[in-house]
Amino acid sequence: MRVFLLIVCAAALSCGPTPPAPVRVMAIVPVETRGYEPREVQLQTIGNITTLKGSVAELIGVARVTLDPNDPIQRGGIENLTDDQRYEVLLKDKGADVRGNYLDKAGVLWPADFHTWNMVTTYWNFENAWLYFQDLLASQTPAQTPDELNKMRVLYWPELKINDTLVTDNALYMSFVKSFAITPFQNEKTVPLAMNLGVIGHEVAHKVWSKRVFNDEGIHPTLRPSTGWSGEPFNLLRSLDEGLADFHGYGVTCRSLAGCTPDLLSVSIADQTYAKQRDVSRPDACLDEGLRQALKSFSADQWIRARELYLYGNLWAVSLYQAGSKTGGIGKVKSLQVALLAAYNDDRSQSPGLNQLVNRNLNNQMAFTPEAVAEAIASHIADVDLRRAFCSEAMDRLQLQCLRPDCTDKMPSCPGTTRRGTTCKVLPPLP
Ligand SMILES: [Zn+2]
């Protein structure tokens, strides 16, 4: 018996000491053909390859999360609990270490089973999202670090129940318990969302937004049922979080062998029409009358369940992407990613950031308009050509309401030479 165990341990790394980072390991990653294939990667930040824990992410297995308004301890509304209390109440099982199994082939670790492939790939995705934000934050003045992305808690394959529905085939950031979830997947035809690099980039962007715009509050005051914001300001706020997450998710894909992939979803979902509508490079993205009507009239509850949430967010992502692309390509898009992050939170300069625009107007939601948001972003774009291009795209695609042709009445940061773009037809004024 003893001999048998020794042989098992010699073949599988899980019994041995964990090698120091970087660790050479196989993962399923986007490749040159834009498909996903097993390739050797290096994990730069992993501490323990067996339990999949490192400085940027920590995977936790077999957790059980239940959101249930009929649960006696949730009945008072989870928004009335502190972040720590919510974690205690909603995580019915806090989970345990995962365990990866590998075979060592000439210094490269090969996952030995299905879950180990998924877990290594998940860690690699989180590491790349971290590297993306680290790069953008290092480019800020003064330079910053992505402190909110240290040891991100990732619930791997949890039993996640939301109002009695078991969540599968998804990847989520749950700000209310400050945890990510990589839920079980069953759809074998496509790349699971959890393995999609851009999707993980999108989820990590939610955490960055939550920290920098919402002051790391698990349920920000604007989002509380009954006492929070409602109507257009609420809908705009939620859509920005989603659309800008797509814009950053796209940015994270640029780190892969496949190169920048503005169409994040088409490899992962069956509905190709919808996937194309979420493409951040979509040249024909315009606010139309139906979307405008929904933005203005949907209740908070309707909006968060509607596709319009993402479609309106997409107009913001496309305005940024197209401004960069038309001004000079990928390098300019990166300048916009840096500027956008600066615009999330700025209490030092004369130009308030989105955090300030939201938190100084908690009781004055009508001040949170698309024009005010566009100004907060524009005022953080240093390059004048790029700022003009962003103003022009946003005026056009989002139908910003300005009295002057250069929009400087509503957006004083726009250069006087700005003119509204010509992609979209001007909508008639609302009755
Ligand atoms: Zn999202």
Side-chain angles (χ1 to χ4, degrees), residues 13-61:
L13 186 90
S14 54
C15 308
T18 192
V23 175
R24 293 169 64 196
V25 63
M26 298 295 290
I28 300 172
V29 299
V31 297
E32 297 84 348
T33 56
R34 306 226 157 191
Y36 279 63
E37 286 178 12
R39 287 288 169 93
E40 181 188 326
V41 298
Q42 287 205 354
L43 296 182
Q44 303 174 27
T45 64
I46 192 83
N48 186 325
I49 189 79
T50 302
T51 60
L52 275 304
K53 288 182 172 51
S55 59
V56 312
E58 297 195 337
L59 270 61
I60 295 172

Short mmCIF file of all heavy atoms in Angstrom, two decimals, residues 13-61:
data_model
loop_
_atom_site.label_atom_id
_atom_site.label_comp_id
_atom_site.label_asym_id
_atom_site.label_seq_id
_atom_site.Cartn_x
_atom_site.Cartn_y
_atom_site.Cartn_z
N LEU A 13 1.76 16.00 -9.35
CA LEU A 13 2.42 17.04 -8.58
C LEU A 13 1.68 17.38 -7.30
O LEU A 13 2.25 17.93 -6.36
CB LEU A 13 2.52 18.29 -9.45
CG LEU A 13 3.31 19.40 -8.80
CD1 LEU A 13 4.77 19.28 -9.18
CD2 LEU A 13 2.76 20.75 -9.15
N SER A 14 0.39 17.03 -7.25
CA SER A 14 -0.42 17.53 -6.15
C SER A 14 0.10 17.09 -4.78
O SER A 14 -0.23 17.68 -3.78
CB SER A 14 -1.88 17.10 -6.32
OG SER A 14 -1.94 15.72 -6.47
N CYS A 15 0.94 16.07 -4.72
CA CYS A 15 1.49 15.65 -3.43
C CYS A 15 2.75 16.43 -3.11
O CYS A 15 3.19 16.47 -1.96
CB CYS A 15 1.84 14.16 -3.44
SG CYS A 15 0.51 13.13 -4.00
N GLY A 16 3.38 17.00 -4.11
CA GLY A 16 4.71 17.58 -3.89
C GLY A 16 4.65 19.05 -3.55
O GLY A 16 3.57 19.63 -3.47
N PRO A 17 5.81 19.66 -3.36
CA PRO A 17 5.84 21.09 -3.06
C PRO A 17 5.44 21.88 -4.29
O PRO A 17 5.59 21.41 -5.42
CB PRO A 17 7.31 21.34 -2.71
CG PRO A 17 8.06 20.25 -3.39
CD PRO A 17 7.15 19.08 -3.48
N THR A 18 4.89 23.07 -4.07
CA THR A 18 4.45 23.86 -5.21
C THR A 18 5.65 24.64 -5.75
O THR A 18 6.43 25.18 -4.98
CB THR A 18 3.27 24.76 -4.77
OG1 THR A 18 2.69 25.32 -5.91
CG2 THR A 18 3.70 25.84 -3.82
N PRO A 19 5.85 24.65 -7.07
CA PRO A 19 7.01 25.35 -7.61
C PRO A 19 6.83 26.87 -7.49
O PRO A 19 5.70 27.36 -7.49
CB PRO A 19 7.02 24.91 -9.07
CG PRO A 19 5.63 24.49 -9.38
CD PRO A 19 5.01 24.05 -8.11
N PRO A 20 7.93 27.62 -7.41
CA PRO A 20 7.80 29.08 -7.32
C PRO A 20 7.36 29.68 -8.65
O PRO A 20 7.68 29.13 -9.70
CB PRO A 20 9.22 29.53 -6.95
CG PRO A 20 10.12 28.43 -7.43
CD PRO A 20 9.33 27.17 -7.40
N ALA A 21 6.64 30.81 -8.60
CA ALA A 21 6.20 31.49 -9.83
C ALA A 21 7.43 32.09 -10.51
O ALA A 21 8.38 32.45 -9.82
CB ALA A 21 5.20 32.58 -9.46
N PRO A 22 7.46 32.23 -11.83
CA PRO A 22 6.37 31.82 -12.73
C PRO A 22 6.32 30.30 -12.90
O PRO A 22 7.35 29.65 -12.92
CB PRO A 22 6.72 32.51 -14.04
CG PRO A 22 8.20 32.67 -14.01
CD PRO A 22 8.58 32.85 -12.57
N VAL A 23 5.08 29.80 -13.05
CA VAL A 23 4.87 28.37 -13.24
C VAL A 23 4.46 28.13 -14.69
O VAL A 23 3.56 28.81 -15.20
CB VAL A 23 3.78 27.85 -12.27
CG1 VAL A 23 3.47 26.39 -12.56
CG2 VAL A 23 4.22 28.02 -10.83
N ARG A 24 5.14 27.21 -15.36
CA ARG A 24 4.77 26.86 -16.75
C ARG A 24 3.69 25.79 -16.70
O ARG A 24 3.88 24.73 -16.10
CB ARG A 24 6.00 26.34 -17.49
CG ARG A 24 7.05 27.42 -17.70
CD ARG A 24 8.36 26.82 -18.19
NE ARG A 24 8.21 26.19 -19.50
CZ ARG A 24 9.10 25.34 -20.01
NH1 ARG A 24 10.16 24.99 -19.32
NH2 ARG A 24 8.90 24.82 -21.21
N VAL A 25 2.56 26.09 -17.31
CA VAL A 25 1.41 25.20 -17.20
C VAL A 25 0.57 25.30 -18.46
O VAL A 25 0.62 26.32 -19.17
CB VAL A 25 0.60 25.58 -15.92
CG1 VAL A 25 0.03 26.97 -16.00
CG2 VAL A 25 -0.48 24.57 -15.58
N MET A 26 -0.17 24.26 -18.78
CA MET A 26 -1.06 24.28 -19.94
C MET A 26 -2.42 24.85 -19.52
O MET A 26 -2.94 24.52 -18.45
CB MET A 26 -1.26 22.88 -20.49
CG MET A 26 0.00 22.20 -20.99
SD MET A 26 0.74 23.02 -22.43
CE MET A 26 -0.49 22.63 -23.69
N ALA A 27 -2.98 25.71 -20.38
CA ALA A 27 -4.31 26.26 -20.13
C ALA A 27 -5.04 26.37 -21.47
O ALA A 27 -4.41 26.24 -22.52
CB ALA A 27 -4.20 27.64 -19.48
N ILE A 28 -6.35 26.60 -21.41
CA ILE A 28 -7.13 26.71 -22.66
C ILE A 28 -7.35 28.20 -22.93
O ILE A 28 -8.12 28.86 -22.24
CB ILE A 28 -8.46 25.94 -22.53
CG1 ILE A 28 -8.13 24.47 -22.24
CG2 ILE A 28 -9.29 26.07 -23.80
CD1 ILE A 28 -9.33 23.62 -21.90
N VAL A 29 -6.64 28.71 -23.94
CA VAL A 29 -6.57 30.17 -24.12
C VAL A 29 -6.88 30.56 -25.57
O VAL A 29 -6.79 29.73 -26.48
CB VAL A 29 -5.15 30.67 -23.73
CG1 VAL A 29 -4.85 30.35 -22.27
CG2 VAL A 29 -4.07 30.05 -24.63
N PRO A 30 -7.24 31.84 -25.79
CA PRO A 30 -7.51 32.30 -27.16
C PRO A 30 -6.21 32.30 -27.97
O PRO A 30 -5.20 32.80 -27.50
CB PRO A 30 -8.03 33.73 -26.99
CG PRO A 30 -8.14 33.98 -25.52
CD PRO A 30 -7.41 32.90 -24.79
N VAL A 31 -6.28 31.73 -29.18
CA VAL A 31 -5.07 31.63 -30.02
C VAL A 31 -5.27 32.41 -31.32
O VAL A 31 -6.32 33.03 -31.53
CB VAL A 31 -4.72 30.16 -30.31
CG1 VAL A 31 -4.40 29.43 -29.02
CG2 VAL A 31 -5.83 29.45 -31.06
N GLU A 32 -4.26 32.36 -32.18
CA GLU A 32 -4.22 33.20 -33.39
C GLU A 32 -5.48 33.07 -34.25
O GLU A 32 -5.90 34.03 -34.89
CB GLU A 32 -2.99 32.82 -34.24
CG GLU A 32 -1.65 33.08 -33.55
CD GLU A 32 -1.20 31.96 -32.62
OE1 GLU A 32 -2.03 31.06 -32.31
OE2 GLU A 32 -0.04 31.99 -32.19
N THR A 33 -6.08 31.88 -34.30
CA THR A 33 -7.26 31.67 -35.14
C THR A 33 -8.53 32.23 -34.48
O THR A 33 -9.61 32.15 -35.03
CB THR A 33 -7.52 30.17 -35.32
OG1 THR A 33 -7.62 29.58 -34.01
CG2 THR A 33 -6.41 29.50 -36.09
N ARG A 34 -8.39 32.78 -33.27
CA ARG A 34 -9.49 33.30 -32.45
C ARG A 34 -10.28 32.21 -31.76
O ARG A 34 -11.23 32.48 -31.04
CB ARG A 34 -10.44 34.21 -33.25
CG ARG A 34 -9.69 35.33 -33.94
CD ARG A 34 -10.38 36.66 -33.75
NE ARG A 34 -9.39 37.72 -33.94
CZ ARG A 34 -9.59 38.97 -33.64
NH1 ARG A 34 -10.73 39.35 -33.14
NH2 ARG A 34 -8.66 39.88 -33.81
N GLY A 35 -9.92 30.94 -32.01
CA GLY A 35 -10.52 29.86 -31.24
C GLY A 35 -9.77 29.72 -29.92
O GLY A 35 -8.82 30.47 -29.65
N TYR A 36 -10.21 28.77 -29.11
CA TYR A 36 -9.54 28.49 -27.84
C TYR A 36 -8.86 27.13 -27.92
O TYR A 36 -9.48 26.16 -28.34
CB TYR A 36 -10.57 28.50 -26.69
CG TYR A 36 -10.92 29.90 -26.20
CD1 TYR A 36 -11.54 30.82 -27.03
CD2 TYR A 36 -10.60 30.27 -24.89
CE1 TYR A 36 -11.84 32.09 -26.57
CE2 TYR A 36 -10.92 31.55 -24.43
CZ TYR A 36 -11.54 32.46 -25.27
OH TYR A 36 -11.84 33.71 -24.81
N GLU A 37 -7.61 27.07 -27.53
CA GLU A 37 -6.86 25.82 -27.62
C GLU A 37 -5.94 25.67 -26.41
O GLU A 37 -5.55 26.67 -25.82
CB GLU A 37 -5.97 25.83 -28.88
CG GLU A 37 -6.71 25.64 -30.17
CD GLU A 37 -5.79 25.72 -31.38
OE1 GLU A 37 -4.55 25.69 -31.19
OE2 GLU A 37 -6.32 25.83 -32.49
N PRO A 38 -5.55 24.42 -26.09
CA PRO A 38 -4.57 24.24 -25.02
C PRO A 38 -3.21 24.80 -25.45
O PRO A 38 -2.74 24.47 -26.55
CB PRO A 38 -4.49 22.71 -24.86
CG PRO A 38 -5.69 22.18 -25.55
CD PRO A 38 -6.03 23.14 -26.63
N ARG A 39 -2.64 25.65 -24.66
CA ARG A 39 -1.31 26.21 -24.94
C ARG A 39 -0.54 26.34 -23.63
O ARG A 39 -1.15 26.47 -22.57
CB ARG A 39 -1.41 27.62 -25.54
CG ARG A 39 -1.88 27.68 -26.96
CD ARG A 39 -0.80 27.18 -27.95
NE ARG A 39 -1.39 27.02 -29.27
CZ ARG A 39 -1.36 27.96 -30.21
NH1 ARG A 39 -0.78 29.12 -29.98
NH2 ARG A 39 -1.91 27.74 -31.40
N GLU A 40 0.78 26.35 -23.74
CA GLU A 40 1.58 26.59 -22.54
C GLU A 40 1.52 28.08 -22.18
O GLU A 40 1.67 28.94 -23.03
CB GLU A 40 3.04 26.20 -22.81
CG GLU A 40 3.90 26.40 -21.58
CD GLU A 40 5.40 26.19 -21.88
OE1 GLU A 40 5.72 25.34 -22.73
OE2 GLU A 40 6.21 26.89 -21.24
N VAL A 41 1.26 28.36 -20.91
CA VAL A 41 1.27 29.75 -20.43
C VAL A 41 2.15 29.79 -19.18
O VAL A 41 2.52 28.75 -18.63
CB VAL A 41 -0.15 30.26 -20.07
CG1 VAL A 41 -1.05 30.26 -21.29
CG2 VAL A 41 -0.78 29.45 -18.94
N GLN A 42 2.44 30.99 -18.75
CA GLN A 42 3.16 31.15 -17.48
C GLN A 42 2.26 31.88 -16.50
O GLN A 42 1.73 32.95 -16.82
CB GLN A 42 4.41 32.00 -17.70
CG GLN A 42 5.49 31.26 -18.44
CD GLN A 42 6.87 31.82 -18.12
OE1 GLN A 42 7.01 32.83 -17.44
NE2 GLN A 42 7.90 31.16 -18.63
N LEU A 43 2.09 31.30 -15.35
CA LEU A 43 1.37 32.01 -14.29
C LEU A 43 2.42 32.75 -13.47
O LEU A 43 3.30 32.15 -12.86
CB LEU A 43 0.57 31.05 -13.42
CG LEU A 43 -0.55 30.29 -14.13
CD1 LEU A 43 -1.30 29.39 -13.14
CD2 LEU A 43 -1.53 31.24 -14.82
N GLN A 44 2.30 34.10 -13.49
CA GLN A 44 3.34 34.92 -12.84
C GLN A 44 3.06 35.17 -11.37
O GLN A 44 3.95 35.58 -10.63
CB GLN A 44 3.43 36.28 -13.56
CG GLN A 44 3.71 36.17 -15.03
CD GLN A 44 3.65 37.53 -15.71
OE1 GLN A 44 3.88 38.56 -15.10
NE2 GLN A 44 3.33 37.54 -16.99
N THR A 45 1.80 35.00 -10.96
CA THR A 45 1.43 35.44 -9.60
C THR A 45 0.92 34.30 -8.74
O THR A 45 0.45 34.55 -7.63
CB THR A 45 0.31 36.51 -9.69
OG1 THR A 45 -0.85 35.90 -10.25
CG2 THR A 45 0.73 37.70 -10.54
N ILE A 46 1.01 33.07 -9.23
CA ILE A 46 0.45 31.95 -8.46
C ILE A 46 1.35 31.64 -7.26
O ILE A 46 2.58 31.68 -7.36
CB ILE A 46 0.27 30.71 -9.38
CG1 ILE A 46 -0.56 29.63 -8.72
CG2 ILE A 46 1.61 30.14 -9.83
CD1 ILE A 46 -2.04 29.86 -8.85
N GLY A 47 0.74 31.37 -6.11
CA GLY A 47 1.50 30.99 -4.93
C GLY A 47 1.48 29.48 -4.75
O GLY A 47 2.51 28.85 -4.51
N ASN A 48 0.28 28.90 -4.93
CA ASN A 48 0.12 27.46 -4.75
C ASN A 48 -0.69 26.92 -5.93
O ASN A 48 -1.89 27.17 -6.03
CB ASN A 48 -0.58 27.19 -3.41
CG ASN A 48 -0.63 25.70 -3.10
OD1 ASN A 48 -0.77 24.87 -3.99
ND2 ASN A 48 -0.49 25.38 -1.82
N ILE A 49 -0.03 26.20 -6.82
CA ILE A 49 -0.69 25.73 -8.04
C ILE A 49 -1.68 24.61 -7.73
O ILE A 49 -2.62 24.37 -8.49
CB ILE A 49 0.39 25.28 -9.08
CG1 ILE A 49 -0.22 24.98 -10.46
CG2 ILE A 49 1.17 24.08 -8.60
CD1 ILE A 49 -0.51 26.18 -11.30
N THR A 50 -1.53 23.95 -6.60
CA THR A 50 -2.46 22.88 -6.24
C THR A 50 -3.80 23.45 -5.77
O THR A 50 -4.86 23.03 -6.21
CB THR A 50 -1.85 21.99 -5.13
OG1 THR A 50 -0.63 21.47 -5.62
CG2 THR A 50 -2.78 20.85 -4.77
N THR A 51 -3.74 24.46 -4.89
CA THR A 51 -4.99 25.04 -4.38
C THR A 51 -5.42 26.26 -5.21
O THR A 51 -6.43 26.89 -4.90
CB THR A 51 -4.83 25.48 -2.91
OG1 THR A 51 -3.79 26.46 -2.84
CG2 THR A 51 -4.50 24.30 -2.01
N LEU A 52 -4.65 26.58 -6.27
CA LEU A 52 -4.98 27.70 -7.16
C LEU A 52 -5.16 29.00 -6.36
O LEU A 52 -6.18 29.70 -6.50
CB LEU A 52 -6.21 27.39 -8.01
CG LEU A 52 -6.01 26.61 -9.31
CD1 LEU A 52 -5.03 27.29 -10.25
CD2 LEU A 52 -5.61 25.18 -9.12
N LYS A 53 -4.18 29.29 -5.57
CA LYS A 53 -4.19 30.55 -4.82
C LYS A 53 -2.92 31.32 -5.12
O LYS A 53 -1.83 30.75 -5.18
CB LYS A 53 -4.28 30.26 -3.31
CG LYS A 53 -5.66 29.77 -2.91
CD LYS A 53 -5.77 29.53 -1.42
CE LYS A 53 -7.20 29.24 -1.00
NZ LYS A 53 -7.88 28.19 -1.77
N GLY A 54 -3.11 32.62 -5.33
CA GLY A 54 -1.96 33.47 -5.63
C GLY A 54 -2.27 34.89 -5.22
O GLY A 54 -3.32 35.17 -4.64
N SER A 55 -1.36 35.81 -5.57
CA SER A 55 -1.54 37.18 -5.09
C SER A 55 -2.72 37.88 -5.75
O SER A 55 -3.27 38.83 -5.20
CB SER A 55 -0.25 37.97 -5.30
OG SER A 55 0.08 37.99 -6.67
N VAL A 56 -3.15 37.45 -6.94
CA VAL A 56 -4.28 38.15 -7.57
C VAL A 56 -5.62 37.43 -7.37
O VAL A 56 -6.66 38.09 -7.33
CB VAL A 56 -4.04 38.45 -9.07
CG1 VAL A 56 -2.68 39.05 -9.31
CG2 VAL A 56 -4.25 37.24 -9.94
N ALA A 57 -5.63 36.13 -7.25
CA ALA A 57 -6.91 35.44 -7.09
C ALA A 57 -6.76 34.22 -6.21
O ALA A 57 -5.67 33.63 -6.12
CB ALA A 57 -7.46 35.01 -8.46
N GLU A 58 -7.84 33.88 -5.54
CA GLU A 58 -7.87 32.66 -4.73
C GLU A 58 -9.14 31.89 -5.06
O GLU A 58 -10.26 32.39 -4.85
CB GLU A 58 -7.86 33.01 -3.23
CG GLU A 58 -6.59 33.73 -2.82
CD GLU A 58 -6.38 33.78 -1.31
OE1 GLU A 58 -7.36 33.66 -0.56
OE2 GLU A 58 -5.22 33.95 -0.91
N LEU A 59 -8.98 30.71 -5.62
CA LEU A 59 -10.16 29.91 -5.95
C LEU A 59 -10.65 29.17 -4.71
O LEU A 59 -9.84 28.68 -3.91
CB LEU A 59 -9.82 28.89 -7.05
CG LEU A 59 -10.04 29.41 -8.49
CD1 LEU A 59 -9.19 30.60 -8.80
CD2 LEU A 59 -9.83 28.31 -9.51
N ILE A 60 -11.98 29.13 -4.57
CA ILE A 60 -12.60 28.43 -3.44
C ILE A 60 -13.63 27.48 -4.01
O ILE A 60 -14.48 27.89 -4.81
CB ILE A 60 -13.27 29.46 -2.50
CG1 ILE A 60 -12.19 30.37 -1.88
CG2 ILE A 60 -14.08 28.77 -1.42
CD1 ILE A 60 -12.74 31.52 -1.11
N GLY A 61 -13.55 26.23 -3.61
CA GLY A 61 -14.46 25.21 -4.15
C GLY A 61 -15.68 24.99 -3.28
O GLY A 61 -15.73 25.44 -2.13
#
